[in-house]
Amino acid sequence: MTGPREAPTPFFGSTVWARRVETPLREFLRTETGSAVILLAATLAALAWANVDLPSYEALWGTRLSLDFGGSGVSQDLRHWINTGLMTIFFFVVGLEARREFDMGELRDRRRLILPVVAGLGGMIVPIAIYLLINRGLPSAHGWGAAMSTDTAFAMGMLALVAARLPARAHTYILTVTVVDDLVALCVIAVFYSEHVAPLALLAAVAIFAAMLGVKARGVRHGLVYAGFAAAAWVALFKSGVEPVVIGLAMGLLTYASPATRGDLERASDLFRLFREQPTPELARSASVGLSNAVSPNHRLQQLYHPWASYVIVPLFALANAGIPISGEFLTRALTSPITLGILFAYVAGKPIGIAGSTWLVSWLSRGRVRPPVGWAAVAGGGTIAGIGFTVSLLIATLAFSGDGLEEAKFGILAAALCASLLTWGVARVTAMLPPRLRAQALFGTAESIIDLAAPVDPDRDHIRGPKDAPVTVVEYGDFECPYCGQAEAVVRELLAGSGDVRYVWRHLPLHDVHPSAQLAAEATEAAAEQGAFWEMHDLLLDHQGNILLPDLLDCAKRIGLDVERFRRDLESQVGVPRIEEDMDSADLSGVSGTPTFFVNGRRHHGAYDIVTLTAAVRAARARAALTS
């Protein structure tokens, strides 16, 4: 066997599969967080523009644009094209994320749907009640819809800035609540804030949507076909008087999400290999289709549209709608206006009371059987950050108000966003000052975590390194020929060296289509395991990934002191194949299609697997285990 390679350096990335397919929620959160900065900049720019040159601001967004086809078409000013046209794409992305959570996220366990739905509804009903109480008997009471909806982009961005200590599950829980929030808000817009409804146009929209469902049922996958149906339904809804943005949400909810299966990836690899051998246009098209079909439509469309929605459409919406001229006279009027005060108190007080109160009520009524996935400090922090209402609130405000009322509503929305951010920062600071164990309980709670690992670790079967009764278990599905697994191995060894209460489990997932020697290498470790030397062979193969042909494996067996002839016989008789196939079956059941894939206490680890990230995941799992023990 040739000499050892250079020691692998710690890896700070993730595999293509993990980065592109298996971490959609993390990508969603990262995009929302990044776009919050641009959204804030657009809001400040709108305020500055409106206060420096209000006539030019109103003139631009009041520009009339018309689309006319044979005497029939759509005509709106530029602001309304953004509010009802481009914002349809924003709500399409919201629908995609809601469907993804339902198919693959926390809500795939349908029992977990109850709490975020109730919390989302409670977080809307209480603010509405506060607004109506302040505006009782006044004409402004009809604007209650502007006081109920959380802005996902701002909330996630501010959560990262002022509440970084909250656990990742808090981000997921809050995101789920805001998705419910957006769904209900769209229903409110369609029912309460649509103009006089034209029945024939509405019937046409329903017929177009039904026709699209028929096409979908026949398995048509061409995006342009659905884009045409969506455009036609949008026009029909616009003509009917119903807010057409609802078609975006409906289209998103219909787009299924699923992980890339190993079979789909292998077929894509085969098609690409054919193209590599004979690069013709036909095979290039076939390979492209194969690669595209390996990824669910939800993932593809979200990757395509989410950055545009977050970085362009929502900031453009803010630029067109957030501009209000602020003067001493205006501030005096706004600070005493029931519209401003109703929105401000609805968000700053109503949101946390509604979300935390309804969460507590469900937990109490279920006698603890239904509990939030995080601690009560995280629930309270989520409630205060949900007080940032912007995008949907401004949209409803433009439908409900005009003139001075609209300006006062906008000011209330902006003031509430600022106050909610400060209140969230205060909750985070108070939580950080708690004693360690109490702080952990306040952040993580005692609810059982959803388990992603289909086959539990079996000490009598699995290859385990570390204490067998350790409170934290790290499972890796790996491939001995995968370069990412070789790089991650250095991180795993460092993690185990620095953590005496972690047990590590290796499970096989040889990717035959891209690593032709991976299966043989996996069988070699099982042949070595027959002589009690699994880990010795495991370490040697990962340190010499470029040398795993049969002569190299026999040399490895000799170097670690095995009976080489017995090793050869076991390798030739494939004694390890049944075990490897069991591991591969468990990988399929757990939705694993790429390597390396890690699970920490049964929970899938998404994102990077550098030492800092993995250590943080282990630390969080250790804290949860201590609370539930």
Side-chain angles (χ1 to χ4, degrees), residues 140-463:
S140 57
H142 78 285
W144 53 268
M148 66 179 189
S149 188
T150 299
D151 185 275
T152 306
F154 255 143
M156 292 300 140
M158 292 302 174
L159 193 63
L161 293 175
V162 304
R165 292 181 179 272
L166 291 180
R169 291 168 70 185
H171 292 70
T172 305
Y173 182 69
I174 296 165
L175 177 63
T176 306
V177 171
T178 60
V179 166
V180 173
D181 191 302
D182 284 333
L183 297 181
V184 175
L186 260 293
C187 294
V188 167
I189 291 174
V191 175
F192 296 99
Y193 293 100
S194 294
E195 299 175 0
H196 299 292
V197 176
L200 288 179
L202 182 59
L203 185 62
V206 173
I208 293 170
F209 194 74
M212 185 202 66
L213 292 178
V215 170
K216 184 175 183 294
R218 295 180 66 86
V220 176
R221 293 175 63 101
H222 298 290
L224 288 178
V225 173
Y226 294 103
F229 276 114
W234 187 93
V235 173
L237 286 173
F238 179 86
K239 293 292 187 180
S240 74
V242 175
E243 268 300 311
V245 292
V246 297
I247 192 63
L249 182 68
M251 296 293 290
L253 290 173
L254 285 174
T255 310
Y256 75 89
S258 63
T261 65
R262 188 159 49 89
D264 289 337
L265 293 174
E266 288 174 353
R267 282 190 290 273
S269 294
D270 292 340
L271 291 170
F272 181 79
R273 188 178 295 110
L274 289 173
F275 169 72
R276 177 66 181 86
E277 294 170 351
Q278 191 176 9
T280 64
E282 292 78 10
L283 290 177
R285 190 179 307 110
S286 178
S288 177
V289 171
L291 290 171
S292 179
N293 289 342
V295 182
S296 74
N298 188 290
H299 292 127
R300 294 200 308 272
L301 292 172
Q302 192 160 163
Q303 185 181 46
L304 177 63
Y305 288 109
H306 188 205
W308 283 100
S310 294
Y311 292 123
V312 178
I313 294 173
V314 174
L316 193 59
F317 172 85
L319 189 62
N321 290 277
I324 51 175
I326 298 176
S327 63
E329 179 184 352
F330 170 78
L331 289 176
T332 301
R333 187 180 76 247
L335 292 176
T336 57
S337 165
I339 295 176
T340 301
L341 295 177
I343 291 174
L344 178 63
F345 285 108
Y347 276 116
V348 176
K351 277 290 183 180
I353 293 173
I355 290 176
S358 58
T359 301
W360 174 84
L361 183 62
V362 170
S363 299
W364 180 71
L365 290 175
S366 67
R367 297 183 180 180
R369 289 190 297 271
V370 179
R371 289 175 289 174
V374 291
W376 288 106
V379 171
T384 55
I385 205 69
I388 299 179
F390 191 81
T391 305
V392 180
S393 292
L394 281 178
L395 180 60
I396 296 178
T398 60
L399 298 172
F401 300 108
S402 61
D404 291 344
L406 178 57
E407 305 303 322
E408 292 163 7
K410 290 180 179 180
F411 183 78
I413 293 168
L414 295 174
L418 177 61
C419 293
S421 298
L422 294 175
L423 189 57
T424 304
W425 178 84
V427 171
R429 291 300 303 163
V430 170
T431 304
M433 292 187 290
L434 295 174
R437 182 174 177 82
L438 189 58
R439 181 171 65 245
Q441 185 171 353
L443 290 174
F444 295 105
T446 57
E448 292 184 0
S449 174
I450 189 170
I451 300 299
D452 301 308
L453 187 65
V457 173
D458 183 355
D460 296 326
R461 175 201 176 276
D462 280 302
H463 298 299

Side-chain angles (χ1 to χ4, degrees), residues 565-627:
E565 287 306 314
R566 179 186 173 188
F567 174 81
R568 182 196 291 271
R569 289 195 305 272
D570 288 341
L571 197 57
E572 290 175 350
S573 61
Q574 298 183 313
V575 296
V577 168
R579 184 193 189 101
I580 295 169
E581 290 180 346
E582 286 180 11
D583 283 354
M584 295 173 68
D585 289 342
S586 73
D588 289 340
L589 292 173
S590 302
V592 177
S593 54
T595 58
T597 296
F598 290 92
F599 293 81
V600 181
N601 277 3
R603 181 88 179 190
R604 187 168 186 152
H605 173 73
H606 291 297
Y609 38 83
D610 58 278
I611 188 61
V612 174
T613 308
L614 270 182
T615 299
V618 167
R619 188 183 302 117
R622 184 186 295 122
R624 285 195 295 270
L627 291 173

Side-chain angles (χ1 to χ4, degrees), residues 4-19:
R5 303 178 307 160
E6 293 183 4
T9 56
F11 184 56
F12 294 89
S14 56
T15 65
V16 172
W17 295 272
R19 192 167 57 244

Side-chain angles (χ1 to χ4, degrees), residues 499-523:
S499 304
D501 60 348
V502 175
R503 64 175 180 173
Y504 168 72
V505 177
W506 170 279
R507 286 182 176 174
H508 301 286
L509 184 58
L511 305 177
H512 316 91
D513 53 323
V514 289
H515 300 140
S517 299
Q519 176 72 24
L520 182 61
E523 292 178 20

